[in-house]
Amino acid sequence: MFCYQCEQASNGTGCEKAGVCGKTPQVAELQDLLEHALRGLALYAVEAGKQGVAIPDVNAFTTDALFTTLTNVNFDGRSIEDLVRRCVELREGLKGRIAKTIDHEAATFIPADDYDGMVAQAGGVGIMNLSDDPDIRSLMHTTMYGLKGVAAYAVHARILGQEDDGVYAFIHEALAAMLNRDLSLNDWVSMALKCGEVNLRVMELLDAANTGTYGHPEPTQVSLGVKKGKAILVSGHDLKDLEEILKQTEGKGINVYTHGEMLPCHAYPGLKKYAHLAGHYGTAWQNQQKEFSEFPGAIVMTTNCLQKPLDTYGANLFTSGPVRFPGTPHIEGHDFSPVIERALELPGFDADAPGKTVMTGFARNAVMGVAGTVVEAVKNKAIRHFFLVAGCDGAKPGRNYYTEFVEKVPSDCVVLTLACGKFRFFDKDLGDIGGIPRLLDVGQCNDAYSAIKIALALSEAFGVEVNDLPLSMVLSWYEQKAVAILLTLLHLGIKDIRLGPSLPAFITPNVLKVLVDNYDIKPISTPEEDLRAILCGDEAGDADCLKLAAASV
């Protein structure tokens, strides 16, 4: 195996013996084989598009299958084997619907008869075989990982009724292009940026799906304590799963808690109306083994961010959507009765334990509703600068940078945040500026569209380009949805992004130079140095400029 699609790639170069995420070599190799099969299917899907043949089944399958290949989603080799076989079935069925035969190994590939045979086949279609040119291969991989993020968002949007055939068409186009050895480096630069453009559309669809179904998020206080009684914990990202669990547990004496990126769900009117949505339990995904072990109820992992279950809670864990782990019960068709039965068997919390509260719900509608107050505060110099400190969290050393950065942001600055990276500082009291909280939780990584709309609205209000706003982006990344969002920011021409805790292993020095030369992307350094460079510029040597001692923590 060889995999370097996430930030925790072994030794900063790639996993070769087993995935740091917990994937076995066989699972990693079967995922490579699935991606190979998807590229073969895409050749026929592109031709179907040219001939006007509708392929909704292929579109849905492709996004679902890509979603399973994200980091920390599917660890079950047998289910990936089934996906490979289904992919080939769809390809063969599509052959009979279009008047063309495609002669390419990926389009004629037939899976072996058994599991071990399929694993052996995967050895010849690893990701390093896509191109002999390391820079072209780097951009192909960047695009591929961006596509995985696009697919994940597209699946979330489709579940709630929002789709766009243009999105599916691009996914097929990009997958098929990976089999074209004639494309140049510039072609792949364009393809990567187009991926960012399409991801913007997908995030728009997802925003419409979420807000159209559950209403616009509202600033909401969320309890970090617990209530006496039976309990279910919902982690991951999927709003529909949470809604179904809330519906199916009404009147059963079960309290429902969110975990990880489900925290922002408390801000949606259509979800917070349920009285038994009791609060938020725990922090980010990488802490789940400790936090799940201490939770006295049933646990549901939706969509992604799963770690290998421990024996201390394995019997209480269920998966749904694309998430799978061998031996872990999987929920089909939103029937959560097995989860409810397990929750009723378990003791739950034996007493109330009130905790502190945190605020969430500062999505685009809420922030843009007070845009006038924000603009006036900037003009009056009550607010000096905005920082978007956002992205994925992870276990790798170096992520304390983001905690320290927020702690040292001066008290006349505002911090916007989203995704699970916020759990480094989400419960800190930063106070407010004229009634505007200094820490604004925009939502999940799935809500990155809100942050982009906020930035665009502020640029319009100030009459300047986004890059001229008093706004700096300090981002953390872990997996492929973060790649898709970064490509969207590049598509929009956003510059001077600080990225960490380390740069992607799949980015070659030459590709990095392109990013630096054209977008001024830079790695994080230290909180003090980065704050000084951002706020002081040419006056960076002036200690009085920063006034770090005035930071309100």
Side-chain angles (χ1 to χ4, degrees), residues 1 16-19 23-30 119:
M1 68 169 287
E16 299 182 75
K17 296 181 178 178
K23 285 193 187 83
T24 65
Q26 292 79 15
V27 167
E29 288 164 358
L30 283 174
V119 172

Side-chain angles (χ1 to χ4, degrees), residues 205-216:
L205 290 171
L206 180 54
D207 179 87
N210 289 342
T211 59
T213 305
Y214 303 110
H216 284 276

Side-chain angles (χ1 to χ4, degrees), residues 5-9 20-21 71-72 285 305-307 391-396 399 420 476-483 500-501:
Q5 68 176 2
C6 82
E7 193 268 337
Q8 291 186 173
V20 172
C21 64
T71 304
N72 290 4
W285 67 271
C305 296
L306 177 68
Q307 289 183 305
C392 316
D393 204 3
K396 189 175 178 180
R399 290 181 179 269
C420 62
S476 57
W477 83 283
Y478 175 73
E479 43 92 290
Q480 296 73 58
K481 287 187 286 184
V483 177

